[in-house]
Amino acid sequence: MLTLGLITDLHFGPEAGFAGKLRKLTRSAPGLAKAFVARMNDVVHPDLVVNLGDDIEDEDHDADLARYAACVNLLRSTRAELVNVAGNHDTKHLAPSEILSVWQRPDLDRLYHSFDRGGFHFVVLHTRERKDHDVTVGEEQLRWLREDLAATQAPTIVLMHHSAADQDLRGNRWFEGSPHICLVEERRALRTILRESGIVRAVFNGHLHWNHLDLVDGIPFITLQSLIENLDDDAPGRAAAAHAVVHLEPNRIVVKVEGAERATYQFEA
């Protein structure tokens, strides 16, 4: 069995409102991230810690680089291997080479890749957002994904920032009526590749600032709530403090979402 600790949308940086209300409790991000690290080290003892992206609330290049490094270095203090996914806020002012440098991954020359751990294959995808326009992965990455999955028979977990499911966005504070800035444009083609591989066990993403489960072609697509989402309607606010603990077994996946909005999902192979 492999155990994963998942966290997403930490948004280190200035406070951010939406529609005139306080939505991101960014001032709480460092403390909540430290609490997550402490729980991973003292209670969960995961094999991998997965950071699904949007570590910062983008502002400018120098501030973003400093905050991004501070966030990733804090998560690196878990006594587990850290796997990072790049979010749209992370890449607004930072080049891929700068992101990879913070990840301490000189072996990589791009923000998508794959690796094997404990009998499982992991795929990290890079979803690219053009602000207020679209979210894409591109044909090159889709070709790479098909080839990567064809080269393994191991049960596979896909990690990405935006969602590849056709989520029902009604009630979402951020994205209701705006699928083009939260769902991958080529999601149907991407899901076809995942389905035809016959080996993908689950897909995890962040970005949408809520917990959500979609089961498509027998594959669970799991969206994790933001660490710092304000669950109240406005200031002073109440942080979601969300993270997930995932247990991967040969024939079962159990996902436990912790924080103020708890959920448990179980899938049998």
Side-chain angles (χ1 to χ4, degrees):
M1 183 178 72
L2 280 179
T3 298
L4 315 181
L6 273 66
I7 193 168
T8 192
D9 295 88
L10 297 88
H11 290 286
F12 278 48
E15 284 193 347
F18 186 71
K21 296 184 178 182
L22 178 63
R23 292 301 190 208
K24 297 178 185 177
L25 300 179
T26 54
R27 66 181 182 274
S28 301
L32 291 172
K34 289 177 183 176
F36 167 77
V37 168
R39 185 165 191 266
M40 293 299 104
N41 287 341
D42 298 340
V43 179
V44 178
H45 309 294
D47 300 287
L48 298 173
V49 166
V50 177
N51 166 25
L52 288 170
D54 273 1
D55 292 2
I56 56 174
E57 186 65 19
D58 64 84
E59 189 173 18
D60 59 54
H61 175 269
D62 291 350
D64 287 6
L65 185 57
R67 288 173 179 143
Y68 190 73
C71 181
V72 171
N73 288 335
L74 176 54
L75 295 179
R76 192 175 284 118
S77 64
T78 56
R79 292 189 288 271
E81 180 181 358
L82 176 63
V83 178
N84 294 293
V85 178
N88 51 288
H89 285 276
D90 307 328
T91 56
K92 177 70 179 296
H93 296 117
L94 302 180
S97 60
E98 294 174 303
I99 297 283
L100 292 169
S101 178
V102 174
W103 290 1
Q104 298 181 6
R105 293 299 304 267
D107 56 311
L108 298 178
D109 59 4
R110 59 194 180 191
L111 295 176
Y112 59 93
H113 63 101
S114 64
F115 62 95
D116 297 312
R117 294 292 183 275
F120 285 84
H121 186 65
F122 292 86
V123 173
V124 174
L125 295 180
H126 176 43
T127 54
R128 303 170 298 203
E129 179 178 330
R130 290 190 295 172
K131 185 173 175 59
D132 300 325
H133 187 72
D134 61 13
V135 178
T136 61
V137 291
E139 287 300 321
E140 180 181 342
Q141 192 170 175
L142 289 175
R143 286 194 299 271
W144 171 86
L145 176 63
R146 188 184 297 276
E147 293 169 1
D148 181 82
L149 294 178
T152 182
Q153 295 182 341
T156 297
I157 304 297
V158 177
L159 309 169
M160 56 198 302
H161 182 66
H162 298 82
S163 177
D166 286 302
Q167 291 197 25
D168 183 347
L169 300 174
R170 287 175 294 181
N172 188 290
R173 288 171 164 177
W174 295 91
F175 301 109
E176 184 172 8
S178 301
H180 60 292
I181 54 173
C182 65
L183 308 181
V184 175
E185 185 174 276
E186 311 98 326
R187 58 191 177 275
R188 291 171 182 81
L190 194 156
R191 292 198 307 263
T192 296
I193 294 171
L194 302 184
R195 182 189 71 244
E196 290 180 349
S197 75
I199 59 173
V200 174
R201 299 284 303 281
V203 181
F204 292 93
N205 69 272
H207 185 67
L208 284 96
H209 285 238
W210 67 0
N211 293 315
H212 205 274
L213 171 64
D214 296 275
L215 192 64
V216 186
D217 297 324
I219 301 172
F221 290 75
I222 302 139
T223 299
L224 178 60
Q225 171 67 285
S226 164
L227 179 75
I228 50 78
E229 178 71 3
N230 183 5
L231 299 182
D232 291 337
D233 191 51
D234 204 349
R238 176 173 52 101
H243 68 273
V245 176
V246 180
H247 298 294
L248 302 178
E249 302 178 26
N251 299 308
R252 178 183 297 121
I253 297 176
V254 179
V255 180
K256 294 186 177 181
V257 180
E258 305 289 352
E261 296 182 322
R262 296 190 173 192
T264 300
Y265 314 123
Q266 180 169 308
F267 313 101
E268 306 290 335

